[in-house]
């Protein structure tokens, strides 16, 4: 009887430790692992603004790229993690930081599925299309607009050239990882009829799929089932192991 009580106490302590570890993981990286499921998948949230080299105010909801990058490395090398589900609800943020995260995701062997919830605006678009399969809920939207900056910039030709090169990098990444054409993407970027104080285009979930930017419409259930399918049909990562 005493042994059983001791075992129950240890089990409760272990469960509490697991909950604390999970809570710390969510707080620090916005991610969580689902271990009691059909396949072991890791869920990564990209929310608010993507924070890059500049620290944003404390009252701003952010995704810190210095947390996300090592998390992606850990996921890629962890043999127990079978898939990565990326949930996006972001207004954009630091272009180079967002593009760095997108390149990391696109270069992973681990099967990946992204799901846009609410919004996947600005640099959120490369993040959404970086997954093996990109999905969006019907109520979500995406804003396609040229690279821009806030604050003081030098009004010289070199500055214009710099932004043109950044925009080209973003465009090439989007086209490599989606089915949108260069012509359609340019039309959306340079649209002057939709946004009152800016140029660009806001598209719904259905429109994002229709133009080839996102692969398909879907719900959370659809995204999980799609990820399971990718896991089950993928070639073995370590065939000789």
């Amino acid at each position: 009887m005493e042994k059983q009580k001791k075992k129950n106490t240890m089990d409760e302590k272990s469960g509490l430790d697991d909950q604390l570890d999970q809570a710390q993981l969510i707080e620090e990286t916005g991610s969580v692992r689902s271990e009691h499921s059909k396949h072991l998948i890791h869920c990564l949230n990209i929310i608010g603004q993507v924070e890059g080299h500049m620290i944003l105010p404390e009252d701003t909801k952010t995704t810190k790229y210095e947390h996300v990058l090592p998390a992606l490395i850990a996921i890629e090398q962890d043999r127990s993690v079978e898939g990565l589900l990326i949930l996006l609800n972001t207004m954009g943020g630091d272009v180079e930081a967002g593009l760095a995260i997108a390149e990391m995701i696109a270069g992973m062997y681990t099967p990946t599925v992204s799901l846009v919830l609410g919004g996947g605006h600005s640099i959120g678009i490369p993040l959404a299309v970086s997954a093996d399969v990109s999905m969006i809920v019907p109520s979500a939207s995406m804003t396609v607009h040229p690279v821009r900056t806030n604050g003081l910039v030098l009004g010289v030709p070199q500055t214009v050239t710099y932004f043109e090169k950044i925009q080209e990098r973003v465009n090439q990444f989007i086209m490599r990882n989606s089915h949108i054409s260069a012509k359609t993407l340019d039309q959306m970027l340079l649209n002057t009829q939709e946004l009152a104080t800016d140029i660009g285009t806001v598209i719904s979930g259905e429109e994002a799929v229709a133009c080839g930017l996102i692969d398909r419409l879907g719900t959370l259930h659809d995204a999980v089932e799609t990820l399971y399918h990718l896991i089950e049909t993928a070639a073995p990562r370590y065939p000789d192991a």
Side-chain angles (χ1 to χ4, degrees):
M1 187 71 176
E2 193 65 32
K3 287 184 178 180
Q4 184 62 40
K5 286 183 179 180
K6 187 175 181 180
K7 182 179 183 301
N8 290 342
T9 302
M10 292 177 63
D11 289 345
E12 289 176 5
K13 185 177 184 301
S14 176
L16 182 59
D17 289 342
D18 289 343
Q19 291 177 18
L20 291 174
D21 290 343
Q22 193 78 282
Q24 184 177 10
L25 185 67
I26 294 172
E27 182 178 352
E28 292 184 355
T29 67
S31 61
V32 62
R33 286 173 62 161
S34 176
E35 299 185 1
H36 304 289
S37 57
K38 184 178 179 181
H39 293 286
L40 178 56
I41 64 173
H42 191 107
C43 177
L44 177 68
N45 294 329
I46 297 178
I47 59 174
Q49 291 192 56
V50 177
E51 185 178 274
H53 305 295
M54 302 295 292
I55 298 176
L56 295 174
E58 291 184 0
D59 60 351
T60 301
K61 187 72 70 175
T62 64
T63 295
K64 301 179 184 298
Y65 90 116
E66 70 269 24
H67 289 170
V68 176
L69 296 185
L72 291 174
I73 295 172
I75 294 164
E76 179 71 353
Q77 68 176 354
D78 189 340
R79 295 191 180 198
S80 67
V81 177
E82 298 175 84
L84 173 63
L85 177 62
I86 306 148
L87 302 180
L88 292 114
N89 189 355
T90 176
M91 60 188 298
D94 188 290
V95 174
E96 291 192 344
L99 200 55
I101 296 172
E103 287 282 10
M104 290 275 286
I105 295 171
M108 295 179 73
Y109 185 92
T110 304
T112 56
V113 171
S114 66
L115 179 64
V116 179
L117 303 158
H121 308 295
S122 192
I123 199 61
I125 293 173
L127 289 166
V129 305
S130 63
D132 296 326
V133 177
S134 59
M135 303 181 71
I136 187 169
V137 298
S139 62
S141 63
M142 308 186 86
T143 303
V144 187
H145 66 72
V147 172
R148 58 194 179 191
T149 185
N150 294 322
L152 183 66
V153 295
L154 294 176
V156 295
Q158 290 88 336
T159 302
V160 176
T161 301
Y162 173 71
F163 280 107
E164 287 177 346
K165 289 182 178 180
I166 293 179
Q167 187 66 62
E168 183 62 22
R169 286 160 54 197
V170 173
N171 290 1
Q172 289 300 320
F173 182 89
I174 292 172
M175 289 186 291
R176 282 199 312 271
N177 292 277
S178 72
H179 303 290
I180 194 169
S181 67
K183 181 180 178 180
T184 301
L185 183 57
D186 283 342
Q187 287 175 343
M188 289 182 176
L189 287 168
L190 302 177
N191 180 16
T192 60
Q193 304 301 313
E194 191 161 327
L195 302 178
T197 60
D198 200 355
I199 61 173
T201 306
V202 180
I203 55 176
S204 66
E206 290 185 358
E207 291 170 330
V209 174
C211 72
L213 187 59
I214 298 296
D215 292 327
R216 63 185 77 158
L217 287 171
T219 62
L220 176 60
H221 172 76
D222 298 325
V224 172
E225 287 300 314
T226 299
L227 186 55
Y228 283 171
H229 176 73
L230 292 179
I231 292 168
E232 292 163 2
T233 56
R237 188 188 308 197
Y238 306 102
D240 298 327

